[in-house]
Amino acid sequence: MTDSQPLSAAPPATRPPALDRIRVGSAPDSWGVWFPDDPLQVPWQRFLDEVAEAGYPWIELGPYGYLPTDPGRLAQETASRGLKVSAGTVFTALHRGPAVWDETWAHVSQVAELTRAMGARHLVVIPSFWRDDKTAELIENPELTAGQWRNLAAGMERLGREVRERYGLDIVVHPHADTHIDGEENVARFLDATDADVVNLCLDTGHYAYCGGDNVKLIETYGERIGYLHLKQVDPEILAEVVRDGMPFGPAVRRGVMCEPPDGVPALEPVLEAAQGLGVELFAIVEQDMYPCPPDQPLPIARRTRRFLRGCGA
């Protein structure tokens, strides 16, 4: 190169893709909240203060009764912090058949009423655990019979129709560790057995990876069924120990199996890019299961996670 030749310009810094269809938020779960009332959990006022401080504009209601259930009060508390509600959460055991419908609907209608009043459009539906959520004791067979699968599919379709007709909300079913809708085989069986018009999926990236699933593959295969996201990562070394020891989910969480991004799996960048590619608006709510946890632990993690997601383009 001669003195008269210009120096080559430095290559431009690579920018993450703009994930303009992804609406990022967080949830009480990321503050160690699993129950409506528990002395090991932070007060709800502190959760609202800190989730706003961390930079998340959207939240979920969490377990019904943790946040105020009076719509007027909750609207005031969220608005004063610049927060909006993306979804409520319900727990169901519809594989048990029509006998549980009335009890299920009593719970669902409470949560749906508050969810609608807060301007949200989604109801996250978590299937019942086959272990006790506090003692980890086995309380049901982990495998469903053919009849129970039929009950589950029919019950979820009925729930989807009723919730939409009465409350104008869409249900999104959450595959979850230690439930009957967990990894690739059972999630595919559930989706294939249900009507896409009334039943879609809340893909929790951490739970699906915990149960051996490939998140990007699921989005590419069943993209039209993905209605909502929970963002979460799993520590692969701890997960290997959990699988080796046959450890229930609750003790696994206490061991730290759900970890802070970007330290675990799945990598969230390709998951978010695949979700963006669906061409629809999606909530992506951060959840890092860590019940119970010290009260000062969640906020620094939440700040770092929000910064990481901004770096991904979300």
Side-chain angles (χ1 to χ4, degrees):
M1 182 177 71
T2 67
D3 292 343
S4 61
Q5 291 177 307
L7 293 173
S8 299
T14 302
R15 292 185 177 182
L19 303 177
D20 56 359
R21 296 188 178 99
I22 306 297
R23 298 180 180 181
V24 172
S26 194
D29 184 51
S30 293
W31 269 255
V33 175
W34 276 10
F35 304 103
D37 184 31
D38 189 294
L40 299 179
Q41 298 174 170
V42 298
W44 63 266
Q45 296 94 333
R46 180 169 181 177
F47 160 68
L48 292 179
D49 288 342
E50 293 189 351
V51 72
E53 183 179 341
Y56 293 101
W58 294 94
I59 62 165
E60 290 183 355
L61 296 178
Y64 183 77
Y66 174 66
L67 294 176
T69 56
D70 175 76
R73 185 181 183 195
L74 184 55
Q76 182 180 29
E77 295 285 355
T78 52
S80 69
R81 297 168 171 87
L83 298 171
K84 294 173 285 187
V85 174
S86 62
T89 301
V90 297
F91 295 84
T92 60
L94 293 170
H95 66 285
R96 297 175 187 166
V100 302
W101 176 260
D102 289 345
E103 179 183 358
T104 301
W105 186 252
H107 166 58
V108 168
S109 59
Q110 272 190 320
V111 181
E113 186 73 45
L114 180 60
T115 302
R116 178 178 64 178
M118 296 306 297
R121 295 178 20 248
H122 294 92
L123 204 60
V124 177
V125 180
I126 299 180
S128 61
F129 304 132
W130 39 263
R131 294 186 187 274
D132 185 275
D133 57 3
K134 284 200 170 182
T135 68
E137 177 187 0
L138 194 67
I139 55 176
E140 279 194 274
N141 193 319
E143 301 296 329
L144 294 180
T145 66
Q148 288 173 321
W149 271 110
R150 288 192 293 271
N151 287 337
L152 177 60
M156 284 295 187
E157 289 180 341
R158 180 182 179 186
L159 190 69
R161 288 191 295 268
E162 296 277 353
V163 166
R164 182 176 293 171
E165 290 172 5
R166 299 195 190 192
Y167 297 101
L169 307 176
D170 291 328
I171 69 166
V172 283
V173 179
H174 182 321
H176 197 292
D178 287 1
T179 77
H180 299 107
I181 306 175
D182 47 12
E184 288 186 358
E185 181 179 352
N186 286 337
V187 169
R189 181 172 182 173
F190 174 74
L191 290 175
D192 291 343
T194 49
D195 183 351
D197 186 54
V198 291
V199 179
N200 284 305
L201 212 64
C202 168
L203 173 57
D204 184 300
T205 61
H207 280 277
Y208 199 59
Y210 181 99
C211 297
D214 182 326
N215 282 270
V216 172
K217 179 183 174 184
L218 181 66
I219 294 171
E220 291 174 346
T221 306
Y222 287 97
E224 74 283 358
R225 304 297 297 273
I226 307 299
Y228 200 92
L229 295 173
H230 280 172
L231 301 181
K232 188 178 298 175
Q233 284 193 323
V234 182
D235 183 314
E237 292 185 4
I238 296 178
L239 180 60
E241 297 172 2
V242 166
V243 172
R244 180 196 66 204
D245 298 341
M247 185 178 297
F249 181 67
V253 167
R254 290 192 288 275
R255 186 175 287 191
V257 71
M258 297 301 181
C259 63
E260 177 181 345
D263 297 337
V265 296
L268 293 181
E269 297 92 333
V271 173
L272 290 167
E273 289 175 22
Q276 169 79 10
L278 296 176
V280 297
E281 289 192 350
L282 285 173
F283 284 105
I285 304 301
V286 175
E287 284 196 331
Q288 183 180 340
D289 292 311
M290 47 186 188
Y291 171 88
C293 66
D296 294 333
Q297 182 176 339
L299 178 56
I301 293 175
R303 286 183 179 135
R304 292 191 295 267
T305 301
R306 185 68 192 99
R307 187 162 57 245
F308 164 74
L309 290 172
R310 286 195 184 101
C312 297

